[in-house]
Amino acid sequence: MKTPDPRTETRIPPVVTFATGAKLLVRLGLAKNMTREGVRRLASHPEWPFGPDRPFPYWDLANADVMETEPFLEFVRTHPITGRGPDRAPRGGSR
């Protein structure tokens, strides 16, 4: 497996994918935890800035959709992430 360059752990990248965007949000403390699926759920927000007929396009890079990092971070700062909170009760079984 490829060893990541240590600079990628401290610098802000110019573009992110859904997966790298999730990792960046956690690293910057904008989310306690986040996955690429969590970022995909954020993309369903009516004010999501990326996509057709939106202010910023998704860019196709190496067979992945990428987003410019600054508008992505600005969206998250403007619309803070709220989760359902910690799991406090056991889940119900099959009925």
Side-chain angles (χ1 to χ4, degrees):
M1 182 147 95
K2 183 173 125 179
T3 304
D5 187 321
R7 293 173 294 183
T8 63
E9 300 299 319
T10 58
R11 298 170 87 183
I12 303 293
V15 295
V16 293
T17 63
F18 287 96
T20 60
K23 290 178 186 178
L24 182 62
L25 293 177
V26 172
R27 181 167 60 100
L28 295 177
L30 295 172
K32 185 174 180 181
N33 59 40
M34 179 64 68
T35 65
R36 69 175 182 229
E37 293 305 318
V39 175
R40 288 187 196 285
R41 282 192 286 281
L42 287 176
S44 66
H45 190 283
E47 294 180 33
W48 182 249
F50 298 98
D53 302 322
R54 303 289 174 112
F56 300 97
Y58 288 113
W59 297 91
D60 187 34
L61 180 66
N63 216 19
D65 287 334
V66 297
M67 304 168 276
E68 295 174 50
T69 304
E70 285 308 314
F72 172 70
L73 293 176
E74 182 60 33
F75 173 81
V76 173
R77 289 180 181 121
T78 306
H79 303 87
I81 296 168
T82 57
R84 65 177 177 83
D87 195 4
R88 298 184 190 266
R91 297 285 175 237
S94 299
R95 293 184 179 162

